[in-house]
Amino acid sequence: MNASSIKRYQVRLQRVLEHIEAHLGDELTVEALSDVAAFSKHHFHRQFTSLFGIGVYRYVQLARLKRASYRLAFRDDDSILEIALDSGYEGPEAFARAFKQQIGQTPSGFREQPQWKPWYALYRPISDMKAIHMKRDWQLDRVKLVDTKDLRVLVLEHRGDPALLGDSIRRFIAWRKTVGLPPRLGPTFNILYDDPTTTPPDAFRLDLCVASDRALGADDTGLVAKMIPGGRCAVLRHVGSDDTFNDAAEFLYGTWLPQSGEEMRDVPFYCQRVAFFPDVPEHEAVTDLFLPLK
């Protein structure tokens, strides 16, 4: 197969991953998924496994449980029964058995205190696979130059192993609820100091931010106020899973920047979270990446 044939083959199977993410609560049979890919149902399972390194049924199960675990950890208004039914299970008992078998905790135990390191180890191979096979053909004209204003943000600083970032996110969400700063009232940003794929875990740094002029008070223990300096920025909109986030960042740094003739300011790379997984399907999550320029 030549390069263009391989690309078309991969695109057809990428459509399957996106279809799965958009229909996690539906019945996802090999027959239906092979139709999405326009492959023979007699060979689809082997084709899927050969490219992605995981069987289609196991992938569907893990995708369902990933969304369920996000809702358990970060959306405490969603009941376990609701999450179970939305994940394609007949009831909470079947859901609890599957969740415990794969994740290692009961749904209620995970909601109370997630064990992120084994969760991260379970999903890391899938994240790596998606980073390889769901790359996009970024075009230079997708990058926009904008002038931003100084932005005051309230920050919870995550320092240390990225596998434990979920604990910081839970604290940040709980604080935002306490002080009445949901995403619709305060845009959400991340300041990205380090690449988790190349930084030693104990040296990793990331800031969880909400844009707000609110003064810090007694309810804000562990939070600090910072300023994201305004100025010229190159902005690239990334739509999809965080598993392919680094691909977008590498395009900005490694392809767009050298060809643009621009130079970076001494300001950290940052992003704005526009649409969040699990509120939208993972392939529909929206993040705007900001590369500060001179």
Side-chain angles (χ1 to χ4, degrees):
M1 296 173 69
N2 59 35
S4 61
S5 297
I6 293 172
K7 181 62 179 177
R8 287 195 297 271
Y9 184 89
Q10 291 176 327
V11 166
R12 290 161 74 180
L13 284 168
Q14 287 172 9
R15 287 203 302 267
V16 174
L17 299 189
E18 293 182 354
H19 182 85
I20 290 170
E21 291 170 1
H23 298 86
L24 290 175
D26 301 337
E27 185 177 5
L28 293 167
T29 64
V30 166
E31 289 78 6
L33 295 176
S34 63
D35 284 345
V36 172
F39 286 140
S40 165
K41 66 181 181 180
H42 301 293
H43 305 291
F44 171 74
H45 193 286
R46 288 187 176 87
Q47 289 173 295
F48 187 98
T49 304
S50 177
L51 183 61
F52 297 135
I54 183 174
V56 64
Y57 286 123
R58 177 158 172 76
Y59 180 85
V60 168
Q61 181 187 47
L62 290 177
R64 285 172 169 161
L65 294 179
K66 180 179 181 180
R67 185 182 66 171
S69 60
Y70 268 61
R71 292 177 69 184
L72 289 167
F74 305 134
R75 301 293 183 266
D76 55 13
D77 292 335
D78 295 350
S79 72
I80 292 178
L81 174 60
E82 180 184 1
I83 294 171
L85 296 177
D86 288 347
S87 299
Y89 292 89
E90 294 181 355
E93 294 82 7
F95 171 63
R97 285 194 298 271
F99 196 91
K100 177 68 180 297
Q101 182 180 34
Q102 297 298 329
I103 307 297
Q105 293 182 267
T106 63
S108 58
F110 190 88
R111 164 158 278 176
E112 182 177 350
Q113 188 173 3
Q115 300 298 312
W116 288 112
K117 284 198 171 182
W119 184 98
Y120 189 80
L122 175 66
Y123 281 99
R124 181 62 185 270
I126 295 175
S127 296
D128 291 345
M129 174 272 289
K130 290 170 74 174
I132 294 170
H133 294 294
M134 296 192 75
K135 287 181 177 290
R136 298 181 57 181
D137 292 326
W138 295 103
Q139 302 298 317
L140 295 173
D141 61 4
R142 295 290 300 277
V143 180
K144 308 300 181 184
L145 297 179
V146 301
D147 290 309
T148 66
K149 297 180 179 179
D150 289 348
L151 185 67
R152 183 179 184 270
V153 290
L154 303 179
V155 177
L156 190 151
E157 299 176 322
H158 177 85
R159 301 294 184 263
D161 195 338
L164 299 177
L165 181 59
D167 287 335
S168 295
I169 295 173
R170 280 164 61 87
R171 288 173 52 208
F172 188 61
I173 292 173
W175 169 80
R176 292 184 69 162
K177 288 184 174 182
T178 297
V179 301
L181 270 179
R184 62 184 175 83
L185 297 180
T188 302
F189 292 83
N190 297 154
I191 301 176
L192 308 160
Y193 300 98
D194 303 303
D195 180 348
T197 65
T198 59
T199 304
D202 59 354
F204 178 73
R205 302 165 299 160
L206 181 145
D207 287 348
L208 302 167
C209 315
V210 55
S212 176
D213 292 326
R214 179 183 181 278
L216 289 172
D219 293 329
D220 305 312
T221 303
L223 275 288
V224 296
K226 295 186 180 182
M227 189 72 70
I228 298 177
R232 295 177 68 245
C233 289
V235 181
L236 176 64
R237 172 155 289 191
H238 172 262
V239 180
S241 165
D242 273 6
D243 297 328
T244 57
F245 184 94
N246 275 352
D247 184 43
E250 288 172 3
F251 170 78
L252 264 180
Y253 278 97
T255 301
W256 180 85
L257 185 63
Q259 296 188 44
S260 70
E262 299 281 356
E263 294 185 32
M264 293 180 291
R265 275 185 288 146
D266 189 21
V267 173
F269 184 49
Y270 66 97
C271 68
Q272 181 179 357
R273 301 290 185 173
V274 179
F276 301 82
F277 172 71
D279 301 329
V280 299
E282 196 168 10
H283 72 284
E284 294 179 5
V286 178
T287 307
D288 287 337
L289 285 63
F290 289 78
L291 182 62
L293 303 173
K294 290 184 178 179

